[in-house]
Structures are given as C-alpha cells and as structure tokens.
Amino acid sequence: HRAAEKAQRERAMAQVNGLLSASPAAVPVIIDNLRPVYDDLIPELRRLVESSELKESQRMRVSLALLDPDAKQVDYLTQRMLESDAEEFLLIRKYLQPHSRDLLPDLWQSARDLDGDAAQGFRAACALAMYDNQNSAWNQISDKVAQFLVSENSLTVAHWMEALRPAHSFLIQPLSKVYLERSEEQTAQRILATNILADYAADQTDALLRLLVAADAQQFAVLFPVVSKQPELAAARLEAMVDPTVHVAEPGEAERVKASQRANAAVALLRLGQWQSVRPLLGGDADPQTRAYLIHRLRSRGVSMETLAFLVDEERDRLVRQALILSVGEFPLSAVSAEERETPEKLLQQLY
C-alpha cells in the first residue's frame, strides 16, 4: 500500500514538473489529475509559486493549481490575466470565473480606461465579456474595444474574438463603423472588421444585408457566402431594396450611395438565382447610375463568365444584352482561361 502511494506521489510530482511547461490547453487536464493528491502536493506547490527561479508563465500555472485550496492566488492571477497573451488570458479567465463577482468593480474601472493602459483595459473588457456581458455599461466601452480588436495582430485576433464572443452583440455597431471606413490608412482594420462581422453577425441576416449592399468587392466576397446560407430570406429582403422604378434626377452623393447599394443588392440577387428581379435594372427604363454600377460590378462581385454568357444567349432585349456584354468586357484576359476567352468572341459574332 505504501509503495502504491509513493508511486502515486512520484507520478504527481512528475506532473507538477510537466505543468511548468505545459501548453495552456493542457493545463486543465494536468490540474485535474493532481486533485487526488492535493494534500501531499500543496507544500511543494507553495514553494514553487514563491520561487524566484520560475518564469511568470510558470508561476501562473502553479498559481492556478493552488487556486482551489488557496483563494489568496486570486489577486496575482487577476493581474496576470490583464498582462497575458490571448491563450493564457482565456485559461486564467476560466479559472477566475467563480471569483468574478468580486472582480467586477476593478475590471470595469480598467475597461473604462482604454485611453490609459489600452492593452490592460482591453483584457479587462474581455474578462467582462464572460463575467458581465448583459451590463448596459458595455455601450460606453464598445467603440474603443472594437477599435482595439481590429488593431490586433491577425495571428492572435481569433483568440480575442472568442474572448469577446459572449458580448458580441454590443460590438456589431462599432465594428460596422470600421467596416464602412474607406480611407487607405484603415484598410487592414476594415478587412479585419469584415471578417469579424461575418462571424459575429452570422445569424443576423438583416444586419449582414445592410453591410452587404455597402460592401466593396473584397467585403462582398466575405459576406455573400454567409448571407447565401438563408437564400429565401435574403432574396426577399434584397428584392425590397431593389426598386427598378427609382430614377436619380440630379445625382448627388446621397443618390450615388443609393444607386451603389441597389447595384450590390442586384448582384447578390443574381447570384441567388433571381435574374428576373435584376433584369429591369439593366434595361432602357433603368436608372442610369444603378445600371452603370451594376455593369461594372457583376464580375468583381463574383458573377461568372459562364453565367453572363448564358444570360446573353437567352436575353432578347437589346439594351439588357448590351449591358451584359459590357459586363463580360470587365473580365481581364489574365483572369480568363483559354476556353472562356472564346465566350465573348462568340457573343460578338452572334450580335454582329
């Protein structure tokens, strides 16, 4: 019996040593395996957590192992959570959840101070996303949290997205502001905001469609596959946005934006198989601005040469066919296979 207990303690000590270098994902398993022999290990764990020889990442792992029997570890772990990388943050946040009520006042204070220590404030907000995600105070910090999120390294942003997911509803609007920003300086942030919104708003078809009609070509390519997962609902909403009777008498910026949005909605409808809803926007009675945008965008928003060739072949209205052929002309030769290059030639031969 004593030999068995000794062997168990030796295995436990080996796991303690393994804990020091374990990946964040492996830490919970090791700590669970240590629980049966906690009483024997606590002296060694306390010695280690106070040792000056440990790196902070190692001390954090030992502190997590001590947390259940020693609540004094909470202060250290909270500070470490606000300074850690994304993977370690998620690990510590999970272990501190039973103590979250006591942590809320200080976390909210840090989260509101994103203009001060931004990195610490952002991590405090990520903790609050798990601990207090229904609090209306999120409206006060969501803009700055969203800005920090889209400025994160693309290699780690997925972890921070997961951290903020429980509070994602507060971030849709501020991320949409970044999405709509068109300055070159904001290109990287805009692309990142697009990908985050495609995830966070995946179940909000109306919100995604409002973004889709304002999308540039790159954003359209990200959002359309998400929207198309509910084709009937999306088509119904898009048809309401496409009004072929609208004409712009005196073009201005507001009218240009509306024409641009109608063109994007029409491309999406075509890709959803709703050609008859799109066709009037290319005819002789169509609004010229909308028609021009639509001609130039069919290729860049993902309509294939094959689809355009089929529509030209089927179409009998001269002006609609003309618009479709102009759209075929938007395909650069470098982006078209040798077989596909025959398509515009055959179309022109048929017409002329």
Side-chain angles (χ1 to χ4, degrees), residues 149 157-166 168-169 172 175 191-205 208 211 222-223 225-227 229:
L149 178 61
V157 71
H159 292 298
W160 295 120
M161 282 176 61
E162 286 306 309
L164 287 165
R165 188 177 299 280
H168 76 276
S169 61
I172 301 296
L175 286 169
I191 293 170
L192 197 49
T194 303
N195 284 285
I196 296 170
L197 284 165
D199 183 336
Y200 279 0
D203 60 346
Q204 300 179 38
T205 301
L208 281 180
L211 295 170
V222 173
L223 295 187
V226 183
V227 168
K229 291 178 180 179

Side-chain angles (χ1 to χ4, degrees), residues 219-238:
Q219 291 171 323
F220 197 99
V222 173
L223 295 187
F224 181 78
V226 183
V227 168
S228 65
K229 291 178 180 179
Q230 298 191 61
E232 293 182 2
L233 176 60
R237 297 287 196 272
L238 289 165

Side-chain angles (χ1 to χ4, degrees), residues 8 66 89 181 198 226 243 260 346:
Q8 186 180 37
L66 277 170
F89 169 88
E181 175 60 54
V226 183
D243 186 350
S260 173
K346 290 178 180 178

Side-chain angles (χ1 to χ4, degrees), residues 68-81:
D68 272 357
D70 185 3
K72 293 179 182 179
Q73 302 300 321
V74 169
D75 289 344
Y76 166 75
L77 287 171
T78 301
Q79 187 58 40
R80 180 66 190 170
M81 177 176 67

